[in-house]
Amino acid sequence: MSGAPWWEEFGTTTVSSTPGTAPPTAPEVVRTPAPPRPPRPPRGLQVTAAVLAVVLLGMLGVLAARSSTSPGTTSDGAGTSAQGTPGAPPALTTAVTGPSGTATGGTAAADAAATAELEELRARGLADHPPRGQWAAQLSAKSVGTTDPVQTAANGSSTFYATDILAQSREIASGAAGGDVFVLRTTDFGDGLVDARGNAYWVTLAAGPFADADDVRTWCASMFASTPADQRANVCMPKHLTPPG
């Protein structure tokens, strides 16, 4: 046994080499270069793209909301009218029907047309029956907005508008009084009676060979025999057509 220390006997490896041969060299590691990274867009373009994306999303949201409330959507809210027109405010309407039961309108335009026709009837009444002191039977007297609790207007309520007044006058003219019926305003005769709002009444009258008020009452009793006597004055009463003023 040699006298070499114990640490020299362990952990050492003797590599034998053949004379004339070089010791093996470690294989060369070839590194493949990483592909070049694409150039980054300028920061200003990034911000612009982000803003455009947000705007586009907002526009899509608005279009989706509009499509859900398009015309034709039935709604009971305020944004949509009965005709299905969105945003249109609802029209001021009173449902009215004429003597034949057909609808006659009830909108502001229909009331304006009814007023124009009443004016034509009034002009004819003034031409055919100018107030000169004669007696006539008053069959109806209504101003626009009059409420008569014992009568029903053509609109189904007790409040009369121009279309209702015209419809009632037509109904009276188509009844037993016939062609003797004419229309005036209360400012056309007597002391020019007006309502609390300062509006004249539209008066539907029946002409006849009436000598006095009693003749008119007798005629009313025969024409409206089915109406109770205490209610008859509301549908037929004497009227003295003196010149205005």
Side-chain angles (χ1 to χ4, degrees):
M1 175 180 294
S2 64
W6 63 271
W7 61 79
E8 292 183 5
E9 294 180 5
F10 300 96
T12 61
T13 303
T14 302
V15 179
S16 62
S17 59
T18 306
T21 61
T25 61
E28 183 180 358
V29 178
V30 178
R31 295 181 178 275
T32 304
R37 298 179 65 181
R40 297 181 63 183
R43 185 169 181 80
L45 291 178
Q46 295 179 4
V47 174
T48 302
V51 171
L52 289 176
V54 172
V55 172
L56 179 60
L57 289 175
M59 293 176 64
L60 290 175
V62 171
L63 291 175
R66 287 183 177 178
S67 63
S68 65
T69 58
S70 58
T73 301
T74 302
S75 172
D76 294 331
T80 307
S81 68
Q83 289 76 22
T85 303
L92 181 61
T93 304
T94 53
V96 297
T97 55
S100 62
T102 57
T104 60
T107 62
D111 277 336
T115 300
E117 186 167 347
L118 286 168
E119 288 289 0
E120 292 178 3
L121 294 174
R122 175 196 174 211
R124 191 182 310 163
L126 286 171
D128 296 341
H129 305 279
R132 58 180 183 275
Q134 75 272 32
W135 286 91
Q138 178 178 299
L139 305 177
S140 176
K142 301 287 190 302
S143 64
V144 174
T146 293
T147 298
D148 189 340
V150 299
Q151 290 189 8
T152 301
N155 62 18
S157 74
S158 294
T159 302
F160 288 76
Y161 298 95
T163 46
D164 309 306
I165 296 170
L166 177 62
Q168 187 179 55
S169 182
R170 285 173 173 172
E171 185 176 7
I172 292 171
S174 65
D180 291 333
V181 172
F182 60 101
V183 174
L184 294 178
R185 300 198 77 177
T186 49
T187 49
D188 294 328
F189 58 88
D191 55 2
L193 182 66
V194 295
D195 64 14
R197 297 176 297 274
N199 299 323
Y201 293 86
W202 292 101
V203 187
T204 302
L205 302 145
F210 304 127
D212 52 28
D214 287 338
D215 279 354
V216 178
R217 293 189 186 97
T218 301
W219 182 85
C220 289
S222 64
M223 294 293 295
F224 298 92
S226 60
T227 303
D230 59 342
Q231 299 177 18
R232 196 172 297 151
N234 195 50
V235 295
C236 187
M237 63 178 295
K239 182 59 62 175
H240 200 197
L241 301 182
T242 57

